[in-house]
Amino acid sequence: MTRQSISLTRPNDEWLKAQVDSEEYTSKSEVVNDLIRKAREVEAIRKKLIEAEESGFSERLPDQIRADAKARLKNAAKI
């Protein structure tokens, strides 16, 4: 694991300490890593939403879309 040194404002440092004090996390590093993971998830979701928006409108009916989605989920479960 890579070690980093960062500077924090007092409110951010106090917030991190409060997260550890609440025993939800065991260290400030764990809090920061969790925040980064969540930010990466949000970024991935945002990217997918933009791609979907840019792909345009579908001519398929809602029932067709649901059937395709169910088929994709079924195939993904087999893998």
Side-chain angles (χ1 to χ4, degrees):
M1 199 174 284
T2 304
R3 294 182 62 85
Q4 298 288 319
S5 175
I6 60 171
S7 299
L8 301 169
T9 63
R10 178 173 289 166
N12 287 345
D13 186 52
E14 290 172 359
W15 184 84
L16 283 172
K17 186 177 183 314
Q19 300 308 301
V20 175
D21 290 346
S22 74
E23 298 183 358
E24 186 172 348
Y25 298 95
T26 59
S27 69
K28 289 180 183 179
S29 292
E30 188 179 345
V31 178
V32 171
N33 276 310
D34 192 40
L35 289 171
I36 292 170
R37 274 191 294 277
K38 289 176 181 174
R40 291 172 67 191
E41 289 173 6
V42 168
E43 186 178 287
I45 291 168
R46 184 175 180 274
K47 181 181 175 186
K48 287 182 180 186
L49 287 171
I50 290 169
E51 288 172 359
E53 187 177 67
E54 290 174 348
S55 72
F57 291 97
S58 175
E59 298 296 326
R60 298 180 297 160
L61 297 174
D63 288 340
Q64 293 169 315
I65 294 170
R66 273 192 292 279
D68 290 346
K70 286 179 182 180
R72 279 196 307 272
L73 287 173
K74 209 179 260 190
N75 288 336
K78 292 178 184 178
I79 296 176

